[in-house]
């Protein structure tokens, strides 16, 4: 009897040990997959992501782990301290650059689906398997996205990649300029416009094209001998208007900068179908730092010339940036883009409403007039949700509106930056929530004066 | 007694259950860290890496998983089939482009340390925390690397990043050209030279600089009025010689392309200390596809002008590519770079020896003459290990050496591509092992004729 019992005891213990030793997976997160060579990278990334920075900053992988020192929080403007918990009330509200950090919370929420693990041997070659510098899979994703959003007709057209729209804008100017012509093409834009059209065109000081100022100077010009290249930003930066080309004629080529033509910022009336359209993920997913954009091109020769430019300028776009863009667009396409655009639109609309309300308390300032429009993507009428406030100082004496705002500790972009009157200032509404809150508070004070 | 026994049995089972339920980590790969949001990305990457492609190709993350279809092997030239197991004996040996895949095995071996997990919100901003487009941590790594290798003096100089050396070469031409001068700078190089110096310079068709051919045309020229910009590739592409500038004088600026100045390809005699040196990871780590290079600059004005170019051309280099480069250099720096450079040097030396042996069997072809030199990095005398064979057809009738090789199913780069005699052909030795083996076999046949 005793013997039988002790056998049972022993067997109980043996079973215990057997279970423990030979079926560990039974207890591993319910039999979940276990990483091998990828675990170091995954652990690094999660360790960095776990650094909260009080919600007023963030730590980055290239800010610390590799350096082997203590984690470093990179704080939002006006926040300081090792954990970004110290608010500096006397600091200047940053409403300057169009840094699209308003979308950062979306990506933090989609951590699992948007993460990419890049192996050490990923795409070392200059070329993809088809011999090009361009990921055809990414081209497919881009076409699918335009199809879903209905903001551009991409089927049957050429698509080329660039380091953000910046590189593509100049590549387009090069491609549209006449070959070895006696007279350089005249590059023009309509004020107020994005200053890079002028500065980048002037930088290269080419014999093939020359910046020739505002379209208004050439509107009633009957010069058919020279080629005109007109930049059209639609929706426009800074004022958010859905602009169209001013110049017409067989000698006029148009570059449509469609950076802001997404449901975040505007009600999409119809799919754009211009000869040359430029897009960027900077204002779509918010990844300005990745430097990835694309152009949709109708004409084969223009495509060939832009390809040549991209090849000789940078040998295409970083394959790492292309992989990242692919992963991000993949997340956007989940659920037909509704989640990203709902988030983007709601955020921008709410910011616009709050900005308008604050300024409505005074006659001293005015904003661009925007009205609700029907959006073919959301299939409903949408309130305005522009990327920027185009603020005007109405008082006779406030000729330098930038100075007026600076005195109130608000840093915007002066009108002259957009070849416009300095009575105007552009206020960026697409930055972090912290930056926006600080802007609103400083404006409240200013308006209350 | 029985009661006592049954209590012991029960307690044994209770302990078992307690252990199992409340200390699972005890059995998780020996208490290993468990991933949360990063696991999907890690699993995707490992699934792709597990696709072997018979050792004659590889699968990539952006080749499949995101597409939701079956894994696709991207096969090396002359290999086919869904798993790259089918060798096509009749196909042409690819010895054309300088695709640096010879280093791919090194990174596959260092999978754990070279992997990077990029979160969806990594570096979305245009700028780093210091307001620049450049990762200061990466600058530190680059300086440390040059210090360890002893191939360039970087301390106290300016460092700027570009999309590979390609973008930096033109940025340098821009920066060294006189401002608004009546006469454009004369851009020159010494044959045989990398063709992009000419093609990229001509592409922009600038009023500030103009390509003016070979240095030999200007060697004895006493023109002091115009600025000369001389490209010097050292070691030289294609012939691997340690070249120096041909033109001298206060009106001559030199751009030193140091892409190949690493222990893989040459015995490092001393640390280069020129005014403007350009490097790229393409020929250092083999990551041509990442498009990352840097320039080391002495003069503050030149640095400022190059920075302006980089800003207006692409707004800096992709932050994703910078993160990747940081991780890769971090691995290179482990063990003071010995492992990477031993691997690179051994591989290239062995290939050079085999190429020489094959060609020594015939008087029909010759190779550039290279001799063993003392390497300050390895602190020993090293045999030649050039990136390219600069092959010459010696027979009177073989004026078109490229055609001679093409007839033998070997694709190189004709001498004229390097502004040299077509009696020469460049054979790339830095491609995959498969490409090299096929090249050797085709050459054996040709030589045996």
């Amino acid at each position: 009897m005793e013997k039988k019992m002790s056998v049972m005891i022993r067997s109980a213990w043996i079973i215990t040990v057997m279970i423990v030793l030979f079926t560990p997976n039974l207890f591993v997160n319910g039999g979940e997959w276990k990483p091998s060579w990828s675990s170091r990278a995954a652990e690094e990334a999660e360790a960095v992501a776990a650094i909260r920075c009080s919600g007023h900053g963030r730590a980055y992988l290239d800010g610390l782990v590799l350096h082997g020192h203590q984690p470093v929080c990179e704080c939002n403007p006006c926040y300081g301290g090792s954990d970004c918990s110290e608010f500096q009330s006397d600091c200047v509200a940053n409403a300057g650059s169009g840094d699209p950090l308003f979308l950062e919370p979306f990506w933090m929420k989609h951590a699992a689906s948007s993460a990419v693990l890049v192996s050490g041997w990923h795409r070392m070659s200059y070329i993809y398997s088809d011999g090009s510098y361009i990921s055809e899979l990414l081209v497919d994703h881009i076409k699918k996205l335009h199809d879903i959003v209905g903001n551009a007709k991409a089927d049957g057209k050429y698509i080329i990649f660039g380091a953000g729209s910046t590189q593509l804008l100049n590549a387009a100017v090069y491609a549209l300029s006449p070959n070895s012509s006696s007279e350089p093409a005249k590059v023009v834009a309509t004020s107020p416009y994005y200053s890079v059209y002028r500065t980048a065109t002037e930088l290269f000081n080419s014999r093939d094209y020359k910046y020739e100022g505002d379209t208004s100077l050439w509107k009633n010009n009957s010069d058919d001998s020279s080629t005109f290249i007109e930049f059209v930003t639609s929706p426009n930066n800074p004022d958010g208007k859905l602009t169209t080309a001013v110049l017409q004629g067989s000698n006029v080529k148009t570059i449509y900068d469609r950076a802001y033509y997404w449901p975040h910022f505007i009600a999409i009336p119809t799919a754009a179908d211009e000869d040359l359209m430029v897009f960027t993920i900077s204002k779509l997913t918010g990844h300005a730092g990745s430097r990835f954009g694309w152009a949709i091109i109708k004409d084969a020769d223009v495509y060939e010339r832009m390809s040549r430019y991209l090849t000789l300028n940078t040998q295409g776009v970083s394959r790492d940036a292309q992989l990242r863009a692919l992963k991000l667009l993949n997340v956007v396409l989940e659920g037909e883009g509704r989640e990203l655009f709902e988030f983007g639109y709601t955020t921008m609309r709410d910011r616009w409403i709050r900005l308008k309300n604050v300024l409505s308390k005074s006659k001293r300032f005015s904003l661009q007039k925007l009205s609700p429009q029907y959006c073919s993507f959301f299939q409903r009428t949408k309130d305005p949700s522009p990327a920027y406030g185009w603020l005007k100082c109405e008082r006779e004496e406030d000729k330098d509106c930038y100075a007026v705002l600076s005195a109130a500790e608000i840093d915007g972009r002066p009108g002259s930056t957009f070849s416009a009157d300095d009575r105007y200032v552009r206020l960026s509404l697409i930055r972090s929530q912290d930056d926006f809150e600080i802007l609103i508070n400083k404006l409240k004070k200013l308006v209350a004066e």
Side-chain angles (χ1 to χ4, degrees), chain A:
Chain A
M1 182 57 182
E2 237 184 77
K3 201 167 173 212
K4 187 177 158 212
M5 288 294 185
S6 63
V7 167
M8 284 177 73
I9 297 170
R10 218 178 296 111
S11 59
W13 280 111
I14 289 165
I15 292 162
T16 310
V17 174
M18 298 278 280
I19 293 168
V20 169
L21 291 182
F22 301 109
T23 59
N25 274 338
L26 198 65
F27 319 120
V28 181
N29 333 331
E32 191 183 279
W33 168 85
K34 280 184 292 172
S36 73
W37 59 267
S38 68
S39 59
R40 177 171 157 182
E43 195 166 356
E44 280 176 359
E46 291 202 13
V48 175
I51 302 162
R52 288 275 163 262
C53 305
S54 312
H56 299 299
R58 58 209 72 62
Y60 291 118
L61 199 51
D62 54 3
L64 57 111
V65 173
L66 299 172
H67 214 197
H69 58 45
Q70 281 307 301
V72 172
C73 279
E74 299 184 13
C75 305
N76 293 335
C78 302
Y79 286 87
S82 62
D83 64 349
C84 305
S85 61
E86 297 160 20
F87 178 64
Q88 296 137 7
S89 57
D90 62 339
C91 100
V92 173
N94 187 336
S97 91
D99 227 354
L101 290 170
F102 75 104
L103 288 165
E104 195 181 50
F106 177 88
W107 296 108
M108 288 182 165
K109 188 176 160 221
H110 293 80
S113 55
S114 61
V116 196
L117 195 142
V118 187
S119 71
W121 63 92
H122 177 76
R123 296 269 179 220
M124 292 174 67
S125 173
Y126 283 103
I127 55 171
Y128 287 87
S129 53
D130 64 356
S132 78
Y133 290 152
I134 280 183
S135 162
E136 275 311 312
L137 187 56
L138 183 48
V139 169
D140 293 346
H141 276 58
I142 287 168
K143 287 187 168 181
K144 193 170 170 198
L145 180 65
H146 283 303
D147 191 46
I148 284 168
V149 176
N151 65 334
K153 294 206 168 108
D155 289 343
K157 295 182 184 168
Y158 302 95
I159 289 191
I160 195 167
F161 299 162
S165 49
T166 314
Q167 185 181 25
L168 291 163
L169 296 171
N170 188 255
V173 169
Y174 163 82
L176 295 174
S177 297
N179 256 330
S180 61
S181 148
S182 58
E183 204 204 353
K186 292 180 165 64
V187 180
V188 296
T190 306
S191 161
Y193 62 84
Y194 181 44
S195 60
V196 169
Y197 302 145
R198 183 183 69 253
T199 51
T201 302
E202 287 170 345
L203 175 87
F204 293 102
N205 196 18
S206 171
R207 295 169 191 281
D208 302 331
Y209 51 82
K210 192 166 186 301
Y211 190 76
E212 295 281 4
D214 201 282
T215 50
S216 55
L217 303 168
W218 305 98
K219 209 168 175 177
N220 307 316
N221 180 290
S222 58
D223 170 6
D224 292 351
S225 64
S226 53
T227 303
F228 285 87
I229 299 172
E230 179 180 358
F231 275 109
V232 178
T233 327
S234 187
N236 193 36
N237 168 9
D239 63 13
K241 301 280 171 68
L242 260 189
T243 52
T244 54
V246 169
L247 303 185
Q248 309 295 340
S250 58
N251 60 327
V252 177
K253 323 264 189 191
T254 312
I255 299 169
Y256 270 86
D257 182 343
R258 291 292 191 175
Y260 299 90
Y261 199 52
W262 297 104
H264 304 316
F265 310 113
I266 190 109
I268 306 294
T270 173
D273 192 23
E274 292 94 15
D275 289 359
L276 205 167
M277 303 180 277
V278 178
F279 291 86
T280 169
I281 60 167
S282 172
K283 302 301 184 284
L284 164 63
T285 66
H287 294 78
S290 291
R291 312 307 309 131
F292 181 79
W294 64 94
I296 304 175
I297 307 155
K298 235 177 229 169
D299 184 77
D301 297 344
V302 173
Y303 166 73
E304 290 302 335
R305 283 171 60 80
M306 282 183 78
S307 299
R308 179 169 169 72
Y309 181 103
L310 265 300
T311 299
L312 288 171
N313 185 200
T314 58
Q315 299 198 29
V317 174
S318 171
R319 317 314 178 239
D320 306 333
Q322 292 190 48
L323 173 63
R324 185 108 189 269
L326 182 69
K327 187 65 163 170
L328 297 167
L329 293 191
N330 198 252
V331 175
V332 174
L333 289 171
E334 286 170 6
E336 311 258 285
R338 293 215 97 68
E339 202 179 348
L340 175 73
F341 293 118
E342 280 288 0
F343 177 89
Y345 166 63
T346 311
T347 306
M348 295 313 299
R349 179 202 58 197
D350 295 352
R351 290 183 179 187
W352 177 246
I353 289 169
R354 289 178 63 193
L355 178 69
K356 260 177 45 185
N357 288 346
V358 171
L359 294 174
S360 66
K361 311 241 178 325
S362 153
K363 295 246 164 304
R364 188 175 180 185
F365 308 102
S366 66
L367 284 169
Q368 73 264 44
K369 301 275 169 290
L370 299 168
S371 58
Q373 300 289 341
Y374 182 80
C375 177
S376 58
F377 173 73
F378 283 118
Q379 296 187 309
R380 66 173 196 262
T381 300
K382 282 168 58 195
D383 292 324
S385 56
Y388 307 105
W390 186 233
L391 181 132
K392 185 180 183 187
C393 284
E394 296 287 353
R395 282 188 193 163
E396 174 54 30
E397 63 271 34
D398 291 346
K399 289 182 174 54
D400 183 351
C401 195
Y402 178 80
V404 171
L405 293 177
S406 294
E409 296 179 322
I410 297 166
D411 181 51
R413 288 268 167 96
S416 53
T417 306
F418 305 88
S419 303
D421 192 319
D422 268 334
R423 281 194 170 278
Y424 290 88
V425 165
R426 188 191 80 171
L427 297 176
S428 177
L429 307 179
I430 59 178
R431 299 176 57 84
S432 72
Q433 196 62 34
D434 278 348
D435 284 341
F436 181 74
E437 298 298 343
I438 293 162
L439 169 65
I440 289 294
N441 290 332
K442 300 276 183 183
L443 282 172
K444 275 181 184 163
K445 277 201 204 126
L446 173 60
V447 166
E449 275 175 9

